[in-house]
């Protein structure tokens, strides 16, 4: 099954599966079993974060899987740091590495575009040069902050992980990222079911035409747009369904129908909203 997952090549030559498995909102006490089930279903790319509180459980599942480390692509993320220079970011990275039980991670992301993230980026560049991180990137960066970070640093982010789903398609932003050599990655591909995604008429009709579920149509739509995606499920049958998207292809007409449902707006929160900035930026994670 894993051989069927195409790889995309990041701007530094590192290869990353276009489909992975995310553990956002999976309780720590369930995570080890959930990740074990995901690995059994064929996933080899795992996405966690310090702020999720489940890195240790992800690490246990990896250790118990007996899967060779070089077959896995592990992503974790650095939470917002108070000013304090590069040492804070390095210490936070070491804590994540220790919780995961690994000697390196494949992708390390700045989780939010807030706080002292320029110091964090300088630290991450150094850790990358040392081989502790194979690729570095960001999450939730809008174009203005992304371009500013690229223009004033030695290494451009390999990835920008942002909310991307049929109702918020980020087409213009994806084009900008492509021009700048940044790979777009989708979080929230199913919009957590908002806007009645799973009963959307267009998505349902397209699914029926291919004998596939709405979830499979959405994932297929994303990978056909060359967007990396990390769906989450705690149910093994859904994990197997979500990975089973490489035996069909959406037509140009079907891709255009999905393009028509774009609202151009977040269904969760705007990272440029002052209230959201304050709420996220002042939350502390060990």
């Amino acid at each position: 099954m894993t051989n069927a997952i195409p790889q995309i090549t990041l701007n530094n030559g590192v290869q990353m599966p276009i489909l992975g498995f995310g553990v956002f909102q999976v309780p720590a006490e369930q995570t080890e079993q959930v990740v074990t089930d995901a690995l059994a279903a064929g996933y080899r790319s795992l996405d966690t974060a310090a702020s999720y509180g489940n890195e240790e459980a992800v690490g246990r599942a990896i250790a118990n899987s007996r899967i060779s480390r070089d077959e896995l692509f592990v992503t974790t993320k650095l939470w917002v740091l108070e000013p304090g220079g590069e040492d804070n970011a390095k210490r936070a990275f070491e804590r994540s590495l220790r919780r995961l039980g690994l000697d390196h991670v494949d992708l390390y992301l700045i989780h939010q575009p807030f706080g002292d993230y320029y110091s964090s980026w300088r630290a991450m560049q150094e850790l990358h040069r040392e081989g502790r991180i194979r690729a570095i990137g960001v999450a939730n960066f809008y174009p203005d902050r992304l371009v500013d970070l690229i223009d004033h640093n030695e290494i451009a982010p390999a990835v920008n992980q942002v909310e991307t789903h049929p109702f918020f398609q980020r087409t213009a932003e994806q084009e900008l990222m492509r021009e700048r050599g940044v790979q777009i990655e989708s979080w929230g591909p199913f919009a957590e079911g908002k806007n009645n995604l799973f009963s959307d008429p267009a998505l349902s009709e397209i699914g029926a035409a291919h004998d596939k579920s709405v979830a499979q149509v959405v994932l297929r739509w994303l990978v056909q747009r060359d967007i990396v995606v990390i769906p989450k499920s705690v149910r093994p049958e859904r994990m197997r369904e979500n990975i089973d998207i490489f035996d069909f292809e959406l037509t140009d007409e079907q891709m255009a129908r999905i393009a028509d449902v774009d609202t151009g707006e977040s269904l969760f929160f705007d990272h440029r909203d002052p209230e959201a900035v304050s709420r996220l930026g002042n939350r502390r994670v060990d």
Side-chain angles (χ1 to χ4, degrees):
M1 180 71 77
T2 53
N3 292 333
I5 300 178
Q7 307 276 316
I8 54 95
T9 302
L10 301 178
N11 59 16
N12 65 351
V14 168
Q15 289 203 312
M16 177 182 189
I18 200 164
L19 178 70
F21 186 81
V23 295
F24 176 54
Q25 294 179 330
V26 179
E29 62 274 13
Q30 293 181 32
T31 300
E32 183 176 352
Q33 185 59 56
V34 165
V35 173
T36 297
D37 292 339
L39 292 170
Y43 295 88
R44 292 295 179 266
S45 177
L46 303 171
D47 179 281
T48 184
S51 70
Y52 299 171
N54 54 21
E55 287 174 311
E56 286 184 349
V58 171
R60 286 195 302 273
I62 290 171
N64 293 334
S65 73
R66 309 281 185 183
I67 295 170
S68 172
R69 177 66 183 89
D70 60 12
E71 289 184 39
L72 298 173
F73 191 98
V74 180
T75 301
T76 193
K77 308 181 194 75
L78 174 71
W79 190 249
V80 179
L81 294 179
E82 297 167 308
E86 297 165 28
D87 288 344
N88 276 350
K90 290 181 180 178
R91 282 193 291 267
F93 172 73
E94 295 296 345
R95 287 195 296 271
S96 283
L97 210 58
R98 193 163 52 247
R99 286 191 289 257
L100 286 163
L102 302 176
D103 62 3
H104 73 279
V105 296
D106 299 281
L107 180 61
Y108 196 47
L109 305 179
I110 292 178
H111 204 154
Q112 303 287 352
F114 310 132
D116 191 12
Y117 63 82
Y118 272 84
S119 290
S120 297
W121 191 253
R122 288 192 295 272
M124 288 163 61
Q125 289 182 141
E126 196 172 320
L127 290 163
H128 171 66
R129 283 191 290 267
E130 293 171 1
R132 313 289 305 284
I133 308 167
R134 295 180 66 219
I136 56 177
V138 295
N140 300 305
F141 273 56
Y142 274 77
D144 53 349
R145 296 200 180 203
L146 180 66
V147 168
D148 190 59
L149 188 72
I150 292 170
D151 283 352
H152 295 98
N153 284 281
E154 180 185 341
I155 299 176
V159 168
N160 186 16
Q161 187 183 111
V162 292
E163 176 192 351
T164 315
H165 48 71
F167 306 120
F168 193 24
Q169 299 189 11
R170 318 295 285 255
T171 308
E173 290 174 54
Q174 181 181 6
E175 186 54 39
L176 171 72
M177 289 184 225
R178 184 181 287 117
E179 291 170 2
R180 291 288 187 143
V182 181
Q183 173 65 46
I184 185 173
E185 180 177 14
S186 159
W187 66 255
F190 305 136
E192 295 186 4
K194 293 177 187 285
N195 285 13
N196 298 312
L197 179 134
F198 292 110
S199 57
D200 179 84
L203 296 172
S204 298
E205 283 181 26
I206 294 168
H210 293 280
D211 196 24
K212 294 288 184 178
S213 69
V214 166
Q216 289 171 312
V217 168
V218 170
L219 295 174
R220 182 68 212 180
W221 167 75
L222 285 163
V223 301
Q224 279 188 219
R225 287 182 58 200
D226 298 320
I227 296 175
V228 174
V229 60
I230 44 169
K232 177 206 79 177
S233 179
V234 297
R235 296 164 57 185
E237 66 273 17
R238 286 274 186 262
M239 297 175 193
R240 291 190 294 270
E241 177 183 297
N242 289 343
I243 207 172
D244 184 24
I245 62 165
F246 299 106
D247 60 349
F248 76 108
E249 190 168 334
L250 302 179
T251 66
D252 290 345
E253 181 187 7
Q254 289 166 342
M255 295 291 285
R257 283 191 72 190
I258 298 173
D260 285 342
V261 306
D262 189 14
T263 68
E265 295 181 353
S266 169
L267 296 188
F268 296 94
F269 49 82
D270 188 336
H271 284 78
R272 296 165 298 188
D273 173 60
E275 192 175 311
V277 171
S278 183
R279 185 176 70 253
L280 289 169
N282 288 294
R283 179 174 164 243
R284 291 290 159 249
V285 170
D286 179 23

